[in-house]
């Protein structure tokens, strides 16, 4: 009964928030113009990518997370709500942050793609405390995460803080994957109850066919994620590099899963195979297919080592339980990808500054949001 | 044994029908030309959309309907058969109806898209009596529905009855969704056995992960459904409006589901979240993203109210059991979408006439087909 | 324990192989140029197709094969590994075989599409012994299959053996489907243990919703498979022909499933519905939509007859158990498709030679690989 009351209250709050957002959006979301210099054909290509990325969000992340037994429904419902909340919210926030640095409006497909990247990063962040937070808490995290994500993106790429063009992160190894994963680290330190601390995430339960479906969806459409915003003539190279990195990571996952565990673990295959996509993100437009296989293989190996060896120690050290192991899939491979890109940047110090600032901002805002959420919706 | 005999008989009939259709198709389906004025690039864009809509049909509708316990297999098999039957059938019927008003031939991608819309409407109609009809009955409904659907489309858009261009229904709120849903209403009045009348559709059983997979597939590709036949330069706006409407409906579904039921219902999330896509259909090329959020939110609210409050009463009043609640998802939001478009039409009376004619034709032909089907294949 | 040792050993071998491949790839995969004469727009279209085909591989084949009870996980894991292994391997092998006959490099999207076709054929071949081989054996089969597949492709199309352009096989009825299926025939003769020989594949267990999901994914994206490498202006015709063939096969599957079994079998629907796509492959750019329906219907009928009548006899005759029935879905319909194309070729004898050489090469190399695999990894 008490539960119902709380839910109703939260529902009312969100009704008000929704109306507010709806109205607040009007001046900005109802203006035309600023459709960028993209041609009709380029817009159509970006449109196709935006649908592919949407599929990664709702089916990819949504189903990859259903392995949490008993929370299967919650994780899909939460995915829907997170996407529905963060897409318009990002579109609302971004123009205020970027100001004249970007003429993107809500009727521009590029804006939709940027908003989808924000939603992807949010879903990564939610993957950390998944199963230990309720829907209201998720919605609050979503509402608070999105502006911080946009802030970090603005720091890295707008030119206002770090010189424009000095951070190489074509498909978001740093700004999307690492940011989401280290934000999750902050969240789970605050949102892991004492009783959950000792609990080891049982990896054998992660494994099921729905998780593999989600994983397959991410694998398949990762080339669209990576090539969504690159120049049209770079798309073939970027797509093939991404696929080669995923192939490398998949083979490496098999090899290291068997070497470390003595058997193939389906949870490793479902997750670590994707680490190649995470790590190639930063330098995907600069490398060749052969090197992509090697970068992907290293990322797959890092990820398996993460799931098997690092995660239990990190859990002991921080007291936070990382349900989906986002630190292993998005955190370390994301940072690794950012470091790989050092080989291609003109000013390596700025690249390192970008990585460092991202990690600091992610962990501190994650801690802060975790604290707020643990107070307001216990 | 008797069952087997009946099945065999029906199989033979359909073998003959198939051969007949196959042969009948030959003069018309084997002619080239009439490929419309679309450029190669536009054709390719429409091709991509046609695949997306095909995915909505086979995976979206197919799996959204599997929640009917024990009928999971039947609903997917039926989906395959309905699509396989209605695509060629529509291509066969349409040119006879439209005559010189349309030069579309079977080798034109636009024709394929129109045929896919017909299949979508058929799947909506089948969603009503689902679980209480057998495969032979479904096939008969499919064979009879398609010509009536094409007739209604011809009335609304060919200019022969209602002046061309006066009905605004860009993505089929009225002609696809409302027509299918009200045809279903006619069907279920005729096809609900007395013993089923008292049975309330148990919404808790609707919920499962396959239904969410189907729902996600519909959500993701709805922008392609809406933008399939719009001018290429309108695609970004239409896509973003559709996504904003779906975001609004998803949030509103959460809010109203919690307010009315006191808890989140996965069946509501799976279904009512999509009502935004249904309702935005008519005016999607005319509104702005901000208004799309609001239209979607209202549609989501209408749909949840439909599932929780209206459906039990309607069931009592008509004696027909609407298994998938298509009236809540496609019926009322479709009509609402048609009414929203009144704000943008030059002749509101013709818009109202179009809505009215659609409802009358749908219910009466639904009743007639339901009667025939209940006689021939009891 | 012994099992673990063997797995570790194999893992090490594959680690070495992977490193070797990774390094071996470097000279070749790291060269730019040779991007073909395709325009940016054509490349983008091929890119979209390559993602669609990737989805067919990982979700389509991956889930269609999960019907094997207890092996559900293995079949999806194996699918991932087969794709990850064969894509780079094919890219490595092909240029050596074709030499100056093809300037394709690894940064060319056409190369990716050809590699995906090789992966599709490999997944077909693996479908035969599925459930009776372990992962190490699958990897070995994958490593050995790919060069033979490339060899057969080179024989048929490079002009070095059969005059270029005399074999009509636009979408691989012969080179992809029949080759994979008859290679599987060779494999299973060698890889069916005596204790498995008497076992009839229990078709009722094939049936489940994941298999239908895989089947739907194949159905939906088959038009992209068929139109991936055709000229852009042929895409609408090829897409519609493919869909019509699938519609015909789906209806025919229903009819023959009911006629022969006395009831609808979900395994038939999941598999034989796709036979239309297999059979139309060879002549898809040459026929009209009406004839496509008829070709598809015949293929569906052949496939159902295969599952119900031919498979038990073939199993008795060869002693090999075809787990997925790939001979019924890809073997006979593939050969039928190759024969249909006789109506459109200028030199029917060369077409027949192509079919014959494919079958002979497939069966003999399948037997050889099966023998090696049965020795090395028993």
């Amino acid at each position: 009964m008490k539960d119902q009351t709380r839910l109703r209250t939260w529902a009312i709050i969100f009704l008000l928030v929704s109306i507010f957002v709806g109205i607040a959006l009007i001046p900005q979301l109802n203006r035309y113009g600023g459709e960028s210099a993209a041609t009709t054909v380029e817009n159509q290509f970006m449109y196709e990518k935006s649908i592919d990325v949407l599929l990664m969000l709702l089916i990819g992340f949504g189903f990859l997370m259903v392995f949490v037994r008993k929370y299967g429904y919650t994780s899909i419902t939460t995915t829907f709500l997170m996407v529905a909340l963060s897409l318009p919210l990002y579109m609302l926030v971004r123009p205020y942050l970027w100001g004249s640095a970007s003429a993107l409006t809500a009727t521009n497909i590029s804006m939709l793609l940027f908003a989808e990247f924000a939603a992807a990063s949010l879903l990564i962040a939610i993957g950390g405390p998944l199963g230990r937070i309720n829907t209201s808490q998720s919605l609050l995290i979503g509402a608070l995460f999105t502006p911080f994500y946009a802030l970090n993106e603005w720091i890295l790429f707008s030119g206002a803080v770090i010189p424009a063009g000095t951070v190489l992160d074509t498909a978001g190894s740093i700004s999307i994957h690492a940011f989401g994963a280290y934000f999750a680290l902050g969240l789970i330190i605050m949102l892991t109850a004492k009783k959950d601390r000792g609990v080891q995430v049982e990896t054998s339960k992660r494994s099921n066919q729905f998780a593999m479906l989600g994983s397959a969806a991410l694998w398949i459409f990762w080339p669209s994620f990576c090539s969504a915003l690159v120049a049209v003539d770079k798309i073939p190279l970027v797509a093939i590099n991404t696929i080669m990195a995923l192939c490398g990571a998949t083979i490496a996952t098999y090899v290291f899963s068997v070497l470390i565990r003595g058997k193939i673990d389906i949870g490793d295959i479902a997750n670590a195979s994707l680490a190649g996509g995470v790590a190639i993100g930063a330098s995907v437009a600069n490398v060749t297919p052969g090197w992509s296989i090697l970068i992907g293989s290293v990322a797959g190996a890092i990820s398996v080592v993460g799931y098997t060896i690092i995660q239990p120690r990190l859990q002991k050290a921080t007291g936070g339980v990382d349900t989906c192991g986002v630190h292993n899939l998005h955190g370390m491979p994301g940072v690794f990808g950012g470091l790989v890109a050092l080989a291609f940047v003109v000013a390596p110090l700025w690249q390192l500054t970008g990585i460092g600032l991202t990690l600091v901002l992610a962990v501190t805002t994650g801690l802060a949001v975790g604290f707020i959420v643990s107070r307001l919706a216990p």
Side-chain angles (χ1 to χ4, degrees), chain A residues 58-311:
Chain A
L58 290 177
I59 291 183
F61 285 103
F63 283 90
L64 183 55
M65 297 203 260
V66 297
F67 65 81
V68 187
R69 249 196 345 181
K70 291 188 189 172
Y71 297 101
Y73 290 172
T74 312
S75 64
I76 306 177
T77 312
T78 303
T79 304
F80 267 60
L81 291 172
M82 292 298 98
V83 171
L85 180 67
S86 66
L87 293 184
L89 194 55
Y90 179 88
M91 290 186 179
L92 190 65
V93 168
R94 186 186 162 110
Y96 290 111
L97 265 171
W98 287 66
S100 61
S102 161
L104 282 187
T105 70
T107 53
N108 189 315
I109 284 282
S110 311
M111 175 66 112
L112 177 62
L113 282 165
F114 282 117
E116 289 178 353
F117 291 157
S121 193
L122 171 59
L123 290 174
I124 292 165
I126 287 286
L130 189 76
R132 293 184 308 280
I133 51 171
N134 61 37
T135 309
S136 306
Q137 286 175 305
S138 302
L139 283 164
L140 191 56
I141 292 172
L144 296 171
F145 171 91
T146 308
F148 288 127
Y149 169 87
L151 178 69
N152 186 58
E153 198 184 31
W154 174 78
I155 290 172
L156 296 182
F157 305 117
S158 75
V161 179
I162 293 177
T166 56
V167 175
L168 180 62
D169 193 30
T170 308
S173 294
I174 304 162
S175 61
I176 301 169
H177 295 284
F179 185 84
Y182 285 94
F183 191 94
L185 198 65
L187 280 181
I188 60 180
I189 289 171
M190 286 297 171
L191 289 170
T192 307
K194 279 212 175 102
K195 66 176 173 58
D196 296 325
R197 294 225 171 155
V199 182
Q200 174 118 18
V201 178
E202 298 186 33
T203 50
S204 67
K205 283 173 193 155
R206 285 186 318 197
S207 319
N208 68 41
Q209 291 166 328
F210 276 110
M212 284 305 286
L213 174 64
S215 176
L218 291 169
W219 209 108
I220 293 161
F221 292 102
W222 212 290
S224 289
F225 191 93
C226 282
S227 68
L229 289 165
V230 303
V232 177
D233 63 334
K234 278 270 191 186
I235 289 173
L237 178 68
V238 166
I240 289 167
N241 283 344
T242 308
I243 290 172
M244 290 299 107
L246 290 164
C247 288
T250 304
I251 297 289
T253 298
Y254 163 70
V255 168
F256 281 85
S257 187
V258 171
L259 281 178
I260 296 174
R261 296 184 196 267
K263 67 182 180 67
I264 302 167
D265 181 79
I266 189 145
D268 287 350
I269 298 284
N271 286 282
S273 297
L274 302 168
V278 172
I280 201 71
S283 56
V284 68
N286 300 73
V287 293
T288 51
W291 278 98
S292 300
I293 294 177
L294 295 176
I295 293 168
S297 304
V298 174
I302 290 173
S303 190
V304 175
V305 170
Y307 278 104
T308 51
I309 295 167
I310 297 172
Q311 182 162 0

Side-chain angles (χ1 to χ4, degrees), chain A residues 339-345:
Chain A
L339 295 174
V340 166
L342 282 173
F344 306 99
V345 293

Side-chain angles (χ1 to χ4, degrees), chain A residues 315-366:
Chain A
Q315 186 169 322
K316 220 171 180 176
T318 64
V321 177
D322 180 359
T323 312
C324 297
V326 295
H327 183 250
N328 311 310
L329 171 49
H330 302 278
M332 292 185 297
V335 172
F336 168 65
L339 295 174
V340 166
L342 282 173
F344 306 99
V345 293
V346 285
L349 271 181
W350 280 121
Q351 178 80 1
L352 287 171
T353 308
I355 297 173
L357 280 179
T358 298
L359 299 188
V360 170
L361 189 68
V363 173
T364 51
T365 56

